[in-house]
């Protein structure tokens, strides 16, 4: 049994030779795959021995070792090549499959790699969801834990602000204003008034209280003066002290 070359993982690379792409067919696709620049091709395989001895591919069934065969062909876009270990003309062990799409060669992943990749993608998605959820969590000592989402700020910005209703004035405020207005009106009476809108204003006659005659004012001024100039009555002496009889 020939030794198998376990090289590095080739699932992340591809190979293409643009000169072969227009002329690819089931008859020459194995020759295209056996190009020296193809990293997927093992040069210790039986295909190289058959090629050096100028034999046909039917002689591969009589040999033992690693070989490449054309497993499926769907012209002109898809070709599948299998790498396998031949132990007898009727017994083989497959190693890997390669598919050629529009001339580009890829290595098909095995079942274990597919399951591992899907599981890793699922765990990554769950971890990303938990990380995003934790980024929205907020903690405050008085409020505890709350949620703050990014689109919440946008909704608050775009939400129309409701106008605050103006509260009516209280009875105390109206009473005080009425009192002030009446006080101002009494001090500064209007000189004109308008009976109806659009009519000519009519002047208001202001009645003045009659002033007292000058003689009466002078007499009132004289009376306090005469009262102030009158002499005060004589004060009585204190009573004499009498001797106390024992």
């Amino acid at each position: 049994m020939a030794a198998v070359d376990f090289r590095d993982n080739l699932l992340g690379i591809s190979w293409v030779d643009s000169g072969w792409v227009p002329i690819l067919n089931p008859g020459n696709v194995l020759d295209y795959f056996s190009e020296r620049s193809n990293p997927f091709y093992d040069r210790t395989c039986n295909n190289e021995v058959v090629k050096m001895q100028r034999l046909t591919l039917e002689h591969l069934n009589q040999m033992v070792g690693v070989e490449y065969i054309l497993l499926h062909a769907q012209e002109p876009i898809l070709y599948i090549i299998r790498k396998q270990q031949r132990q007898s003309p009727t017994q083989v062990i497959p190693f890997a499959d390669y598919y050629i799409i529009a001339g580009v060669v890829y290595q098909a992943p095995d079942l274990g790699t597919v399951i591992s990749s899907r599981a890793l993608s699922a765990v990554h998605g769950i971890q990303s969801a938990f990380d995003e959820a934790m980024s929205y969590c907020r903690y405050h000592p008085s409020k505890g834990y709350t949620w703050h989402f990014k689109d919440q700020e946008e909704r608050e910005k775009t939400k129309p602000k409701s106008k605050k209703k103006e509260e009516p004035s209280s009875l105390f405020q109206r009473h005080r204003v009425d009192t002030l207005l009446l006080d101002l009106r009494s001090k500064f009476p209007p000189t004109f008034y308008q009976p109806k809108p659009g009519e000519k204003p009519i002047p208001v006659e202001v009645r003045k209280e009659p002033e007292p005659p000058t003689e009466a004012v002078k007499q009132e001024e004289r009376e306090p003066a005469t009262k102030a100039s009158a002499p005060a009555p004589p004060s009585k002496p204190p009573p004499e002290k009498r001797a106390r009889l024992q």
Side-chain angles (χ1 to χ4, degrees):
M1 180 183 297
V4 180
D5 184 13
F6 294 99
R7 293 178 292 182
D8 296 335
N9 190 2
L10 302 176
L11 296 175
I13 64 173
S14 63
W15 175 82
V16 63
D17 188 348
S18 58
W20 281 80
V21 174
I23 60 174
L24 277 180
N25 56 66
N28 62 7
V29 67
L30 284 175
D31 296 333
Y32 171 65
F33 189 82
S34 62
E35 286 288 327
R36 292 185 177 275
S37 58
N38 183 9
F40 303 106
Y41 185 68
D42 185 4
R43 308 211 173 278
T44 62
C45 64
N46 293 337
N47 297 66
E48 281 292 312
V49 177
V50 171
K51 187 177 180 180
M52 292 175 60
Q53 296 180 2
R54 297 182 179 180
L55 301 175
T56 61
L57 295 177
E58 295 177 357
H59 289 80
L60 292 174
N61 297 334
Q62 308 299 327
M63 303 176 68
V64 176
V66 178
E67 64 182 20
Y68 293 90
I69 63 169
L70 179 61
L71 184 65
H72 177 74
Q74 183 177 346
E75 297 184 73
I77 191 72
L78 176 63
Y79 301 94
I80 298 178
I81 296 176
R82 172 168 289 180
K83 179 182 181 181
Q84 59 188 10
Q85 174 75 32
R86 181 169 292 278
Q87 297 180 347
S88 66
T90 59
Q91 186 178 4
V92 294
I93 300 175
F95 285 159
D97 290 337
Y98 306 91
Y99 52 94
I100 304 173
I101 300 178
V104 184
V105 182
Y106 305 91
Q107 180 175 345
D110 56 289
L111 183 59
T113 303
V114 172
I115 295 175
S116 176
S117 176
R118 296 296 177 85
L120 184 62
S121 300
V123 171
H124 176 71
I126 296 173
Q127 184 64 37
S128 300
F130 274 110
D131 293 341
E132 186 175 359
M134 290 300 297
S135 65
Y136 299 143
C137 182
R138 300 289 186 272
Y139 176 77
H140 193 272
S142 60
K143 297 180 180 179
Y145 287 96
T146 57
W147 296 100
H148 183 77
F149 298 99
K150 295 179 180 178
D151 56 347
Q152 184 177 358
E153 297 179 358
E154 299 177 358
R155 288 199 303 267
E156 291 178 356
K157 291 180 181 178
T158 56
K159 185 178 180 181
K161 296 182 179 179
S162 58
K163 295 182 179 179
K164 295 182 178 179
K165 295 182 179 180
E166 297 181 357
E167 297 181 357
S169 60
S170 63
L171 180 61
F172 171 77
Q173 293 173 341
R174 290 197 298 271
H175 179 70
R176 294 295 301 171
V177 171
D178 293 343
T179 305
L180 292 175
L181 291 176
L182 291 174
D183 189 16
L184 290 174
R185 184 177 179 181
S186 62
K187 290 182 180 180
F188 306 99
T191 57
F192 295 89
Y193 78 96
Q194 191 173 10
K196 294 181 180 180
E199 294 185 358
K200 186 177 180 180
I202 301 174
V204 178
E205 296 181 1
V206 181
R207 295 181 180 180
K208 295 183 178 180
E209 296 181 357
E211 295 180 358
T214 56
E215 295 180 359
V217 174
K218 290 180 180 180
Q219 186 177 0
E220 290 177 0
E221 291 178 355
R222 289 175 184 175
E223 287 180 357
T226 54
K227 291 179 180 179
S229 59
S235 58
K236 295 181 179 181
E240 295 181 357
K241 296 181 178 181
R242 296 180 180 180
R244 185 176 181 183
L245 297 178
Q246 293 183 354

